Amino acid sequence: MALVCVYAEFVALIAISCTLFLFLHTQSLTSRLREMEDRLQEPSSLSAASGLSGNSISQASAGANQSHHPDEHLQHHDRELIGNLHHTYNYLKSTGQMQTLKATELNNTRRAEVPIIFFNRVPKVGSQTFMELLRRLAVRNDYTFHRDVVQRLEVIRLAPERQQELAEMVMDLPVPSVYVKHVCYTNFTRFGLPMPIYVNMVRDPVERIISWYYYVRAPWYYVERKQAFPDLPLPDPRWLKKDFETCVLQGDPECTYSQNAVHEGIGDHRRQTLFFCGHGEECLPFNSAGALERAKYAVESQYAVVGVLEDLNTTLTVLEKYVPRFFSGASSVYFNEVNVLQKINKNNFKPPVSEEIKNLVRRNFTKEIEFYQFCKQRLYKQYLATQVPLK
């Protein structure tokens, strides 16, 4: 009987020890998760983390003014952001890449030969707000800001001689400088010129074309265009009134996204990959495998950072880490002045579009969506490379 009692006490001791160990281990994991969450966000910043354009920021900002717990309106985005990062981390760990992940190897800023940022901005990815952020950082970080003048017809694909003229003009800017223009990726070294620091932004491709569709129909857009170019004709009122869902369902050419179709018309911005693929004709076919691979290669080999509109917290953190000369203090400047920045170029005339229509359109955007996901994964890799790995 004594032996049985001793044995029972021994088992109980082991059980208590195991419980204590599991409790401490759980506490450690919880502490690390909280540390990771703290790294992901500046205090009170996530009310603006859903994007640069302001289309989704406004709801979070409005929530911040209500008498709810300060974390309530942040929880959904927090979970999504942390979930995306953990998914990337788990993938890198399972493939053995996490052990060899190095921020220096993911940072093309070190390859740049001159302190000039070339921001060949993609339309409708929050680039107007991003430009305003760069203007304000120019004062803080002591560089000069330059942007292309407003043009009557904005051509993003340039002939080789025009590419060279652009590259030479950028290289004539005082250093350090930032230059911003809607234009395809331009290889400066092709013309014997130093490599600048390439940065850009991307956005969910379907959300982007919806934003573009209503942007060119907004009343203030034509007011601004008429002020700049008084002889521009006004568009057909029927075209202005047509909503995106009707455009898609009726098979309007503007909303028909045929695979490998070549659209060279001014203002056709369905191809986000075009801004990374380059000026060549091989980059023109919509949703093509060739344009996708060329765009991926340019991002990996040339761009310091390609930010993601939907993950602004991560984007600003990576920019501060990888391009500190220009982006030091970016998160602080953005979030302290978010009420101003979020209103830039906001389109209050854009109605909601049903998920059914979005999913219908997504079927033809497979390569564009793959490119967007690729840019997100690279951004997450860059972020994780600067953090203490989760265990």
Side-chain angles (χ1 to χ4, degrees):
M1 179 65 68
L3 182 61
V4 172
C5 292
V6 171
Y7 179 77
E9 291 176 359
F10 178 73
V11 171
L13 181 60
I14 291 178
I16 293 172
S17 300
C18 290
T19 301
L20 179 60
F21 173 80
L22 289 173
F23 173 79
L24 293 174
H25 185 61
T26 301
Q27 289 293 95
S28 177
L29 289 176
T30 301
S31 175
R32 290 186 179 183
L33 179 57
R34 286 175 179 169
E35 180 182 351
M36 186 66 171
E37 289 173 343
D38 290 338
R39 290 170 181 262
L40 290 175
Q41 57 192 347
E42 293 289 335
S44 304
S45 68
L46 282 173
S47 61
S50 56
L52 280 164
S53 67
N55 294 332
S56 55
I57 295 175
S58 55
Q59 294 179 354
S61 297
N65 295 325
Q66 299 175 5
S67 58
H68 297 299
H69 188 278
D71 292 336
E72 286 181 6
H73 66 285
L74 311 177
Q75 291 175 355
H76 174 72
H77 186 270
D78 281 359
R79 288 195 297 268
E80 183 179 0
L81 176 58
I82 295 172
N84 287 334
L85 283 168
H86 275 267
H87 176 77
T88 302
Y89 169 77
N90 289 333
Y91 170 76
L92 294 173
K93 184 178 179 181
S94 67
T95 57
Q97 297 181 58
M98 198 64 211
Q99 296 178 351
T100 58
L101 203 60
K102 295 181 180 178
T104 53
E105 295 179 0
L106 291 168
N107 190 2
N108 287 323
T109 304
R110 60 191 172 87
R111 300 183 57 229
E113 300 168 300
V114 61
I116 294 178
I117 281 186
F118 187 66
F119 176 27
N120 64 311
R121 64 186 182 117
V122 178
K124 307 315 298 171
V125 297
S127 58
Q128 288 279 1
T129 303
F130 201 74
M131 283 198 302
E132 183 59 27
L133 176 63
L134 283 167
R135 281 194 184 97
R136 299 183 186 208
L137 287 173
V139 177
R140 176 189 178 113
N141 294 334
D142 192 25
Y143 62 80
T144 57
F145 176 89
H146 312 266
R147 64 160 297 181
D148 191 22
V149 296
V150 177
Q151 301 177 32
R152 183 187 179 99
L153 296 175
E154 194 158 43
V155 180
I156 61 173
R157 284 185 64 241
L158 307 178
E161 57 271 19
R162 291 282 311 282
Q163 295 177 46
Q164 182 169 356
E165 290 173 5
L166 172 64
E168 289 175 347
M169 183 271 293
V170 172
M171 285 300 114
D172 283 340
L173 297 175
V175 293
S177 284
V178 167
Y179 184 77
V180 184
K181 177 180 173 62
H182 284 312
V183 69
C184 296
Y185 161 71
T186 303
N187 188 344
F188 283 51
T189 59
R190 174 185 178 186
F191 306 107
L193 296 169
M195 176 180 171
I197 303 169
Y198 294 100
V199 299
N200 214 326
M201 296 282 294
V202 293
R203 180 183 187 178
D204 178 284
V206 174
E207 296 294 344
R208 194 179 74 87
I209 61 160
I210 294 172
S211 180
W212 175 261
Y213 182 90
Y214 286 109
Y215 170 70
V216 296
R217 287 168 167 79
W220 49 263
Y221 172 80
Y222 279 98
V223 170
E224 291 178 355
R225 295 290 291 170
K226 288 292 285 185
Q227 288 176 341
F229 310 102
D231 60 329
L232 277 180
L234 291 174
D236 187 331
R238 292 172 298 178
W239 180 84
L240 287 174
K241 293 178 181 179
K242 180 178 285 191
D243 64 86
F244 183 76
E245 294 194 0
T246 301
C247 184
V248 170
L249 293 175
Q250 290 185 350
D252 190 298
E254 185 181 6
C255 302
T256 301
Y257 309 104
S258 301
Q259 304 301 282
N260 295 307
V262 174
H263 292 265
E264 190 70 302
I266 301 299
D268 184 89
H269 292 299
R270 67 190 64 193
R271 299 155 302 179
Q272 191 164 223
T273 54
L274 182 60
F275 286 81
F276 300 87
C277 178
H279 300 269
E281 292 188 2
E282 62 274 11
C283 299
L284 287 175
F286 170 69
N287 206 50
S288 72
L292 168 65
E293 294 308 317
R294 287 180 174 86
K296 283 182 177 180
Y297 178 77
V299 169
E300 279 204 311
S301 64
Q302 303 296 312
Y303 281 81
V305 177
V306 175
V308 176
L309 176 63
E310 291 81 0
D311 276 350
L312 183 56
N313 263 343
T314 309
T315 295
L316 294 178
T317 299
V318 171
L319 283 167
E320 288 176 330
K321 295 284 188 180
Y322 286 69
V323 199
R325 174 64 184 81
F326 293 87
F327 288 96
S328 176
S331 296
S332 175
V333 170
Y334 180 82
F335 291 120
N336 286 338
E337 304 176 30
V338 66
N339 289 328
V340 174
L341 295 181
Q342 72 180 21
K343 297 176 183 176
I344 297 173
N345 228 26
K346 181 180 179 181
N347 187 0
N348 292 316
F349 296 92
K350 187 179 80 171
V353 176
S354 70
E355 286 302 313
E356 289 78 9
I357 293 297
K358 291 180 183 179
N359 289 333
L360 184 64
V361 172
R362 284 190 180 103
R363 297 174 187 174
N364 284 358
F365 275 74
T366 53
K367 298 296 190 297
E368 291 290 325
I369 291 172
E370 182 179 340
F371 176 71
Y372 168 70
Q373 295 294 342
F374 168 82
C375 291
K376 284 178 67 175
Q377 292 301 313
R378 180 176 185 258
L379 183 73
Y380 296 151
K381 284 176 66 175
Q382 288 181 310
Y383 176 86
L384 288 169
T386 66
Q387 306 302 308
V388 176
L390 298 177
K391 298 297 184 183

